[in-house]
Amino acid sequence: MTVFTSKIAAAFSVMGVLIFFLTTVPVYPDTPNPVQELEAKLESATELEKITLIHNFSSKYAEDYPEQTVRFSKDSLVIAQRLKRTHDVVMAAFDIGGGYLNLSNYDKALEYYMMALSVAEQPPRSDKRVAKLHHNIGLVYWHMKNYEKSLEYN
């Protein structure tokens, strides 16, 4: 085999691999944008449904969409406060804190986590919820390099 024919054989080998992958790897249509999906669902949702929809979005997409998590969760917080739903106030404030944590806005994260903690510590107290908030507050202090405070909460 000459150098020329070995190069042609190598090229056909590479082309064969490319053709194989192009014909066997599925091509997915544009996946829906979760923010747009949430906005569409919120249009016809009741206030209680909105709280649940927003919390589910925040739980799933806080890292990918932190700005939207903060924005939507603030709306949820207003609804929960107006309806006097303590558990939902804690969840919304927790979600806002998580959004700010993902944005590296540690002061705001701390503000909302502390708000959630102050409500969560009121009866009926959920030790699981309080423990999770302590952990996240400690994490914020750790990111702020305030290790002494971090240890107080972890």
Side-chain angles (χ1 to χ4, degrees):
M1 227 198 253
T2 67
V3 173
F4 178 74
T5 54
S6 64
K7 286 184 179 181
I8 290 176
F12 277 115
S13 176
V14 170
M15 284 177 49
V17 170
L18 284 173
I19 290 170
F20 171 77
F21 279 109
L22 290 175
T23 58
T24 59
V25 175
V27 176
Y28 297 103
D30 291 334
T31 55
N33 179 320
V35 175
Q36 293 170 339
E37 281 185 346
L38 176 61
E39 288 171 335
K41 290 176 183 176
L42 289 174
E43 286 180 17
S44 61
T46 67
E47 288 194 320
L48 290 177
E49 290 169 338
K50 287 178 183 180
I51 290 171
T52 301
L53 287 167
I54 291 168
H55 176 65
N56 291 343
F57 171 88
S58 298
S59 297
K60 189 171 183 179
Y61 296 110
E63 289 183 22
D64 297 328
Y65 299 98
E67 296 93 354
Q68 291 85 349
T69 293
V70 169
R71 178 171 52 97
F72 289 126
S73 296
K74 283 183 176 182
D75 293 342
S76 180
L77 180 61
V78 169
I79 295 168
Q81 288 171 328
R82 185 175 60 249
L83 297 177
K84 298 181 185 353
R85 296 183 55 89
T86 305
H87 172 73
D88 294 326
V89 168
V90 173
M91 279 190 346
F94 181 86
D95 292 340
I96 296 166
Y100 280 127
L101 179 61
N102 287 318
L103 290 167
S104 301
N105 187 337
Y106 304 125
D107 291 329
K108 282 292 197 180
L110 196 56
E111 175 186 335
Y112 281 94
Y113 283 146
M114 289 296 198
M115 174 196 296
L117 182 61
S118 71
V119 175
E121 287 182 328
Q122 298 171 12
R125 176 186 157 131
S126 164
D127 288 339
K128 181 179 177 182
R129 204 174 323 152
V130 170
K132 193 169 186 176
L133 283 160
H134 272 261
H135 169 77
N136 282 36
I137 291 167
L139 184 61
V140 172
Y141 279 123
W142 182 85
H143 279 289
M144 296 170 87
K145 300 188 183 339
N146 188 339
Y147 304 118
E148 189 174 319
K149 273 287 210 196
S150 179
L151 288 171
E152 287 179 29
Y153 284 92
N154 275 320

